[in-house]
Amino acid sequence: MKARIYVTLRKGVLDPQGKAIQRSLSHLGMEGVDEIRVGKFMEVTLGEMTRPDAEKLLDDACRRLIANTVIEDYRFEIEG
Amino acid sequence: MKIAVLVFPGSNCDHDAYHAIKHVLAADAQFVWHKEGSLDGFDGVVIPGGFTYGDYLRTGALAKLSPVMGAVRRFADSGGPVIGICNGFQILLESGLLPGAMIVNESLKFICDYVTLRTETARTPFTRSIPEGTRLRIPVAHYQGNYFADDETIRRIEGNGQVVFRYCDAGGNVTPEANPNGSIGSIAGICNEKGNVLGMMPHPERCTEPEMGSADGRRLFESMLSHIKENAR
């Protein structure tokens, strides 16, 4: 079973890296990009388990380690 | 009196902290490997700076799961003095012993420089002999030192007097120009509600003798030792 986890900075948390990338795009002459927020993407391979168990496990993993909910939001998708 | 200096894979200011306590202040210091599950017999704990676990995932995120951090939590709950410096501060934030989080410096640059701090409270074991308003010259060296917390948390820690140090200019004024990393409220160090756990981004262990450029950092360790001595009576 495969899953994908997305960790993004919460609204209101400064993202100087995203800002720098956005500025660099406009230096390349690409206009129209108003904002970029940089996050993390993880591919997870899970052992045999039911979908509800996988959801519970991933939520627990995100809450306790993978995301810092003071500054980050998370969501995940389970394949299949 | 015995002070524990924790050592994680990737700690790199552990020897500086050890030197400050053992050689500069002539107190007993001992390295404690992160796999230790107990801090019995210690009177104070230093979580030094460095790059624990290569800063993987987030700074301090993996170190918070080391066995010794359970012992640090128990030590802190019992009122023992704990200081986390730089990466040590980040570990305390990740472990929830202190509120908030660190994000990348506003400038996107690693900053390695002397800064001036204004002491905001003498209520911690580390500042008890440093009067409020005292300016200290202490160096910073970090990429993720931009302190962040939501508005409610900021209001709470400000209201409780948990802000211990702020970045300021040479005259002691807290200004945007004197804030090296973009921290909310120019916060450089905070303590827990009880005051016995301090986290700070600047490195007091790097300035404990005049030949290091400043000896101001020594005052924090002296404070801690005098606190321990007094409480042992």
Side-chain angles (χ1 to χ4, degrees):
Chain A
M1 193 181 254
K2 300 253 185 205
R4 287 182 290 271
I5 299 175
Y6 302 87
V7 180
T8 50
L9 281 177
R10 289 181 72 163
K11 221 178 132 201
V13 177
L14 276 179
D15 181 9
Q17 195 179 183
K19 218 180 257 178
I21 296 170
Q22 186 265 333
R23 269 200 308 269
S24 298
L25 284 177
S26 79
H27 291 156
L28 277 175
M30 292 182 200
E31 297 303 331
V33 180
D34 290 339
E35 192 185 18
I36 289 189
R37 309 274 290 167
V38 176
K40 290 173 193 156
F41 168 69
M42 292 168 213
E43 287 179 325
V44 185
T45 306
L46 298 164
E48 285 294 313
M49 64 179 78
T50 65
R51 203 180 167 92
D53 281 350
E55 281 173 6
K56 196 168 168 293
L57 178 89
L58 289 170
D59 192 63
D60 209 25
C62 286
R63 218 167 17 82
R64 291 171 60 191
L65 179 64
I66 291 172
N68 178 339
T69 54
V70 177
I71 47 170
E72 294 167 328
D73 288 321
Y74 64 86
R75 66 187 172 87
F76 53 80
E77 298 160 352
I78 298 170
E79 240 176 52
Chain B
M1 190 193 311
K2 201 163 66 171
I3 310 299
V5 177
L6 307 191
V7 185
F8 295 84
S11 294
N12 68 3
C13 302
D14 41 349
H15 282 265
D16 303 61
Y18 183 91
H19 172 76
I21 296 160
K22 180 101 174 179
H23 304 129
V24 180
L25 293 167
D28 192 8
Q30 204 173 299
F31 291 120
V32 175
W33 183 234
H34 74 117
K35 295 244 163 125
E36 291 292 331
S38 162
L39 287 163
D40 290 350
F42 287 99
D43 304 294
V45 174
V46 180
I47 311 179
F51 298 84
T52 51
Y53 295 93
D55 282 348
Y56 289 174
L57 192 60
R58 293 178 307 277
T59 52
L62 302 185
K64 78 172 173 189
L65 301 173
S66 281
V68 79
M69 287 310 294
V72 170
R73 188 178 296 275
R74 289 190 294 278
F75 185 83
D77 285 347
S78 71
V82 177
I83 179 172
I85 301 163
C86 198
N87 190 222
F89 185 9
Q90 294 162 338
I91 295 169
L92 288 172
L93 292 170
E94 279 286 342
S95 63
L97 281 161
L98 292 174
M102 285 297 171
I103 56 175
V104 169
N105 296 342
E106 208 169 26
S107 64
L108 282 174
K109 290 194 171 83
F110 187 99
I111 304 163
C112 186
D113 204 359
Y114 261 94
V115 294
T116 308
L117 303 178
R118 194 174 75 190
T119 312
E120 300 289 298
T121 174
R123 67 184 281 238
T124 80
F126 308 93
T127 53
R128 67 199 292 268
S129 44
I130 308 174
E132 203 180 301
T134 302
R135 279 163 283 154
L136 301 171
R137 292 277 296 159
I138 296 183
V140 291
H142 60 247
Y143 181 59
Q144 268 119 336
N146 186 346
Y147 180 75
F148 178 88
D150 59 35
D151 295 344
E152 194 198 316
T153 305
I154 295 291
R155 266 196 302 276
R156 197 181 69 233
I157 64 173
E158 293 278 4
N160 290 343
Q162 287 175 248
V163 176
V164 182
F165 295 113
R166 280 183 225 274
Y167 301 107
C168 68
D169 65 18
N173 307 298
V174 175
T175 63
E177 294 73 32
N179 181 347
N181 50 34
S183 290
I184 292 179
S186 292
I187 289 172
I190 57 169
C191 65
N192 61 347
E193 256 176 66
K194 268 198 291 190
N196 62 310
V197 178
L198 168 70
M200 62 189 295
M201 287 314 290
H203 286 272
E205 81 286 7
R206 293 191 186 176
C207 54
T208 56
E209 297 161 282
E211 51 269 47
M212 292 178 177
S214 163
D216 288 355
R218 177 187 173 132
R219 300 179 67 175
L220 279 86
F221 296 106
E222 274 171 349
S223 285
M224 174 180 69
L225 297 176
S226 76
H227 165 88
I228 293 167
K229 220 175 264 171
E230 199 159 285
N231 281 275
R233 268 187 215 143

